Amino acid sequence: MELTTIWFVLIAVLWTGYFVLEGFDFGVGILLPFLGRDETDRRTIARTIGPVWDGNEVWLLVAGGATFAAFPEWYATLFSGFYLPLFLILLALIMRGVALEYRDKSDSTKGWDRAFFWGSLGPALLWGVAFANIVRGVPLDADHEYTGTLLTLLNPVALLGGAATLLLFTQHGAVFLALRTTGELRKRAVRAARVLAPATVLVVMAFLVAIRSGTVSWAAVGLAFAGIVGTLVATVIGRDGWAFTASAVAIAAVTATLFTSLWPNVMPALDPANSLTVTNAASSPYTLTVMTWVAVIFTPLVLAYQGWTYWVFRRRLTGAG
């Protein structure tokens, strides 16, 4: 297998890890004002992701860094053409991080809770819009520069993608809260997961069918459907761990659909002659070789550390304290 293919797959894996882990962070923030009836509930909801949310964001940093190093042309075109949406995502993530750090240090938490909500909802929506445009294709010139406007990115397929990721992450947050809490708060999270499931499966399937390309992507679409349905079934029978696993599988399958539909392009253009591919967007073989050795050495260490973190903070929260 060529190094360009390996790094395309590795970047897909990094985005999968980011969406699976940061996805429930987004969902928790979105559900905060709906499931938190009082300050005790809201504090408990925030505490479910308190020890892990910043570690989850590392996946985004590594995905961005890997894209810059392995496919610099892709990185340059993406971050220049999608500058405003990505800047809005960055602002939202900063706002959310500040809210999580300061809500317990302030006499009034209402403002911080609003920041937590909007800082979670914005990225959950905009990531879907961004990736829908990446897979669908955007106007690029012969120099691989984006020639559209912001309104070009707000097309029907992209907005459908935003709705799909928003619903998917919100449901993921609901099953995570059901897994991490007890009592009445857990019951409300379970009800939220059940209510969200029908809309989630309809919107996500409509989006995936609209953007998928190739035989392999059909398998990923089917797995996404099974994951969302499995989430609902496990939630109904009270198997919180299985529900969260099925939800994670659904998100992984959605990401797999995006990347298998993208291959061998990394940034398709409306004019195929101007598309960026894994070949014309890649770094030199030497750079890719060095990166591969670094990844082989350090990736297991990072995964082990993050796995240990989740194991330490695995117990349910009761709302006391």
Side-chain angles (χ1 to χ4, degrees), residues 48-74:
T48 60
I49 65 170
V52 298
W53 69 268
D54 48 355
N56 294 342
E57 289 191 348
V58 171
W59 287 80
L60 173 61
L61 300 177
V62 178
T67 303
F68 173 76
F71 300 102
E73 287 276 354
W74 182 14

Side-chain angles (χ1 to χ4, degrees), residues 216-252:
V216 177
S217 65
W218 273 120
V221 171
L223 186 60
F225 177 78
I228 298 173
V229 173
T231 302
L232 176 60
V233 172
T235 299
V236 169
I237 64 176
R239 299 298 297 271
D240 298 334
W242 284 108
F244 181 77
T245 301
S247 182
V249 168
I251 293 176

Side-chain angles (χ1 to χ4, degrees), residues 172-206:
H172 196 44
V175 296
F176 177 77
L177 285 173
L179 179 66
R180 294 283 284 117
T181 58
T182 60
E184 185 59 32
L185 183 55
R186 176 190 171 276
K187 292 179 181 178
R188 291 198 292 270
V190 169
R191 285 196 294 268
R194 292 179 180 178
V195 169
L196 288 165
T200 301
V201 71
L202 287 175
V203 174
V204 170
M205 288 301 106

Side-chain angles (χ1 to χ4, degrees), residues 52-229:
V52 298
W53 69 268
D54 48 355
N56 294 342
E57 289 191 348
V58 171
W59 287 80
L60 173 61
L61 300 177
V62 178
T67 303
F68 173 76
F71 300 102
E73 287 276 354
W74 182 14
Y75 183 93
T77 300
L78 176 64
F79 279 79
S80 59
F82 290 34
Y83 179 82
L84 184 56
L86 294 176
F87 183 68
L88 291 175
I89 290 174
L90 176 62
L91 286 181
L93 292 176
I94 292 172
M95 180 170 63
R96 188 192 62 161
V98 172
L100 282 168
E101 291 295 331
Y102 281 91
R103 74 175 310 279
D104 290 334
K105 300 177 176 65
S106 176
D107 294 333
S108 175
T109 61
K110 290 183 179 179
W112 297 120
D113 287 344
R114 292 192 191 98
F116 184 21
F117 170 77
W118 290 108
S120 301
L121 186 145
L125 174 70
L126 291 174
W127 280 128
V129 172
F131 270 89
N133 278 295
I134 292 173
V135 177
R136 173 180 175 269
V138 293
L140 300 178
D141 62 18
D143 295 321
H144 302 140
E145 294 183 1
Y146 178 72
T147 58
T149 65
L150 176 62
L151 292 179
T152 306
L153 302 178
L154 301 179
N155 56 79
V157 173
L159 295 177
L160 180 63
T165 53
L166 178 61
L167 286 167
L168 191 63
F169 293 156
T170 305
Q171 186 186 38
H172 196 44
V175 296
F176 177 77
L177 285 173
L179 179 66
R180 294 283 284 117
T181 58
T182 60
E184 185 59 32
L185 183 55
R186 176 190 171 276
K187 292 179 181 178
R188 291 198 292 270
V190 169
R191 285 196 294 268
R194 292 179 180 178
V195 169
L196 288 165
T200 301
V201 71
L202 287 175
V203 174
V204 170
M205 288 301 106
F207 169 61
L208 295 184
V209 170
I211 58 94
R212 58 139 303 275
S213 175
T215 305
V216 177
S217 65
W218 273 120
V221 171
L223 186 60
F225 177 78
I228 298 173
V229 173

Side-chain angles (χ1 to χ4, degrees), residues 11 14 30 48 64 75 120-121 132 146 257-258 266:
I11 289 171
L14 290 170
I30 293 167
T48 60
Y75 183 93
S120 301
L121 186 145
Y146 178 72
T257 304
L258 295 171
V266 292

